[in-house]
């Protein structure tokens, strides 16, 4: 799965991949297989890291849960 929406706070196009641990071996054979993905992102990488840190905070996740429940109720109506 490829993710990217808001990963770098809209400052730089940034995406990431999510995959099962068993597929991680591809990076053992060639750890630089994805280097060009972030080429030239001197600003984007630290911003993306900060966005990921902030989105993992309990307050952010609580707010997300409230908005999700609100949207779900509205869609059901």
């Amino acid at each position: 799965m490829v993710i990217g929406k808001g990963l770098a706070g809209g400052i730089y196009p940034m995406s990431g991949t999510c995959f099962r641990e068993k597929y991680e071996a591809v990076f053992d054979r060639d750890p630089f297989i994805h280097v060009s993905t972030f080429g030239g992102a001197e600003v984007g990488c630290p911003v993306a890291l900060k966005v990921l840190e902030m989105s993992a905070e309990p307050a952010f996740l609580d707010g997300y849960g409230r908005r999700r429940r609100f949207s779900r109720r509205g869609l059901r109506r």
Side-chain angles (χ1 to χ4, degrees):
M1 172 176 34
V2 176
I3 57 174
K5 183 174 176 19
L7 193 56
I11 292 176
Y12 193 88
M14 186 71 64
S15 64
T17 56
C18 298
F19 50 87
R20 295 175 190 241
E21 189 174 349
K22 66 181 181 179
Y23 299 120
E24 193 173 321
V26 69
F27 297 107
D28 293 339
R29 289 188 302 271
D30 185 1
F32 298 104
I33 196 168
H34 72 300
V35 168
S36 66
T37 302
F38 302 112
E42 292 80 8
V43 174
C45 287
V47 171
L49 179 59
K50 187 62 178 178
V51 169
L52 291 172
E53 289 172 1
M54 292 170 62
S55 64
E57 293 177 5
F60 175 86
L61 296 173
D62 289 344
Y64 171 77
R66 286 192 302 277
R67 289 186 298 277
R68 179 180 50 90
R69 288 187 295 276
F70 175 80
S71 297
R72 184 177 288 168
R73 284 192 304 269
L75 289 169
R76 284 185 178 154
R77 282 189 226 144

